[in-house]
Amino acid sequence: MSREQFIEELFKIGAVKFGTFTLKSGKVSPFYFDLRDMISYPELLDGIVELLVEKLQGIEFDVITGIPYTALPIASLVADRLQKPLIYMRKEEKAYGTGNNVIGKFTPGAVCIVIDDLITTGESKIETAERLEAEGVVVKDFVVVIDRSNDGSGILAKSGYILHSLIALDEILAILQKGKYIDNKMADQVKEFTQALAEESTQEVENLNPLTIKLKETMQRKQSNLILSLDVTSQSEFFRILDKTAAEIVMLKTHVDILDDYDEHFTGKLQEYARRYDFHIFEDRKFADIGNTVRMQYRKGIYRISEWSEFITVHLVAGAGILSGLFEGLTGRSSFLLARMSSKGNLINESYTRKVIEAGRKNPGVVSGFIGHGKDQEDIRRFKAKFPAGMLLLMPGVKLESGTDKLGQQYITIEDAIGGGADCIIVGRGIIQSENPGITAKIYRERAWKAYNQLNNRKAGK
Ligand code: 5BU
């Protein structure tokens, strides 16, 4: 089957459709590809396998996988043809036990070629690679049947992968136009649509919030990347500990609503400390409601958080729109988005984390970075690698020794947190419940700052 015939066949079986389609994202697309039914057309399937086998010549690999469901039967045929072992990932991660997420046999370190039907944003490819890598499989190359993205290979390249594709969208358009299956107007519409999508996803961070920069400057000035989480319930205790620790910290994180004796003098006094000891104020309110509600929660009520706290935390579960609700009309304020949590069994998964990071990338004016955790340095490195340039990773769940508390808080050490790429550590009980919070805060600051400089020197090749 020639390429031309092959593309025409895809059109005839409805795998490649043109018209008006509403996508999951809510966007209306002039075209839609769905290769699932291809398995029912033996001749077409043969054609695809032929093209894939050809494409794989010259690429070195030990095992083959296809991303379920569509690409899995195709990958099995290719594996059979090349006499290579087939493996595949479960579609859902097993909730219990370790391992066994990959079906099939492979030696740890085996290089796997990943076959898929389509590439659109590249997101699911990267997710698959990460899941395979977590199981000890090495991923370098992807092969897709249709590249319908504008810059699929660029997107994968940023994460260190190579994309090979059998057919690009442009070729499909050209052949179908030539065969009069679609008219020029339709082809132009498709091109415009993909162009617009590509522009949306390649927006780089340009306008960092001035507070992000100020926070970094304060870190340097105070030689500190320690954030104290002063989780106590009385003002006297609060200021007693702050007196001892203020000189060590770059930022003070509060949960103002846990104070039993909160009154209108509290925030003024806190701001006075912040000025005197040169630290930033960060109310960890974790806003998570609809835009209209968070707007009032942030600005109104007894706490009037927007008036005194420079930074806040935001959960994006309600959608990135709540950022407008929070920050519209305000200046000198910024946020950290919750991209991962430190508590055991939390429901955040990789795809959620990735979407939060993307939302941060699009809103640098009101987002200074992310809160996140990791199980070890490698895990944190992979997480941090996805961050927009200049945005910060703040990490709670840090103590001098790793472990877990009775309520599922998980701790890693300062060196693991910073060594993996956290810019600042957030420490609560490790300091406030110690015998001498002042001395302990100094120890945390010194160790965290040392680890931070070591990492930066390593990066700079010093
Ligand atoms: P700890 O005493 O060091 O465990 O306190 C950690 C603080 O960080 C506490 O105020 C939490 O509310 C906060 N935190 C966290 O521990 N884990 C998270 O994932 C997020 C916040 Br988000």
Side-chain angles (χ1 to χ4, degrees), residues 200-201 203 205 357-365 388 391:
E200 237 175 64
S201 65
Q203 269 172 2
V205 179
I357 294 174
E358 277 321 300
R361 192 189 304 281
K362 290 192 181 130
N363 292 283
M391 290 206 176

Side-chain angles (χ1 to χ4, degrees), residues 111-366:
V111 177
C112 181
I113 189 103
V114 184
I115 296 180
D116 206 1
D117 51 347
L118 298 169
I119 178 161
T120 307
T121 61
E123 181 175 316
S124 70
K125 307 290 170 291
I126 296 168
E127 238 173 79
T128 302
E130 284 171 353
R131 287 185 62 206
L132 282 165
E133 281 159 2
E135 305 286 334
V137 179
V138 177
V139 177
K140 294 180 183 162
D141 298 78
F142 287 88
V143 186
V144 297
V145 178
I146 299 179
D147 180 355
R148 51 162 281 175
S149 69
N150 241 1
D151 184 27
S153 49
I155 293 161
L156 290 192
K158 268 193 208 153
S159 299
Y161 305 108
I162 303 169
L163 176 73
H164 312 265
S165 61
L166 299 188
I167 314 164
L169 179 60
D170 280 346
E171 189 182 356
I172 297 182
L173 294 177
I175 287 177
L176 294 181
Q177 256 175 299
K178 199 171 140 211
K180 306 244 179 300
Y181 295 98
I182 57 169
D183 56 19
N184 297 349
K185 197 174 144 219
M186 176 54 81
D188 288 346
Q189 231 177 308
V190 172
K191 283 180 197 159
E192 268 166 37
F193 180 77
T194 51
Q195 188 65 39
L197 274 191
E199 275 163 19
E200 237 175 64
S201 65
T202 53
Q203 269 172 2
E204 282 301 327
V205 179
E206 277 165 7
N207 311 310
L208 286 181
N209 185 309
L211 265 188
T212 315
I213 295 156
K214 273 194 193 159
L215 177 59
K216 290 183 192 177
E217 287 168 355
T218 312
M219 283 166 68
Q220 292 301 330
R221 215 170 33 245
K222 277 193 92 172
Q223 304 273 290
S224 172
N225 52 348
L226 173 64
I227 299 171
L228 176 66
S229 189
L230 227 178
D231 303 335
V232 294
T233 54
S234 76
Q235 286 201 45
S236 60
E237 178 83 341
F238 187 98
F239 289 108
R240 184 183 68 78
I241 297 175
L242 190 55
D243 271 328
K244 295 184 178 154
T245 51
E248 309 294 336
I249 61 176
V250 67
M251 181 140 78
L252 182 73
K253 189 174 83 65
T254 53
H255 284 293
V256 70
D257 54 353
I258 64 175
L259 285 170
D260 286 328
D261 55 357
Y262 172 86
D263 61 24
E264 71 278 16
H265 305 300
F266 174 74
T267 52
K269 195 167 165 191
L270 176 58
Q271 283 175 304
E272 179 49 38
Y273 268 80
R275 271 191 295 275
R276 186 163 5 124
Y277 290 98
D278 191 17
F279 62 77
H280 297 272
I281 302 177
F282 178 23
E283 165 61 27
D284 188 6
R285 172 62 179 71
K286 299 190 178 71
F287 291 95
D289 213 311
I290 60 166
N292 186 55
T293 306
V294 292
R295 186 188 189 87
M296 293 188 285
Q297 288 173 321
Y298 185 27
R299 302 168 191 220
K300 303 286 179 184
I302 50 176
Y303 302 122
R304 296 184 175 267
I305 295 166
S306 67
E307 291 176 12
W308 54 271
S309 184
E310 298 170 276
F311 296 94
I312 51 170
T313 39
V314 180
H315 268 300
L316 278 200
V317 66
I322 78 169
L323 291 171
S324 322
L326 285 165
F327 291 107
E328 228 164 38
L330 292 181
T331 51
R333 296 290 176 254
S334 189
S335 69
F336 287 92
L337 306 180
L338 283 98
R340 280 180 171 193
M341 288 195 75
S342 63
S343 44
K344 214 171 175 169
N346 72 77
L347 303 179
I348 293 179
N349 61 21
E350 276 192 27
S351 126
Y352 182 90
T353 300
R354 189 187 310 284
K355 285 175 191 151
V356 170
I357 294 174
E358 277 321 300
R361 192 189 304 281
K362 290 192 181 130
N363 292 283
V366 292

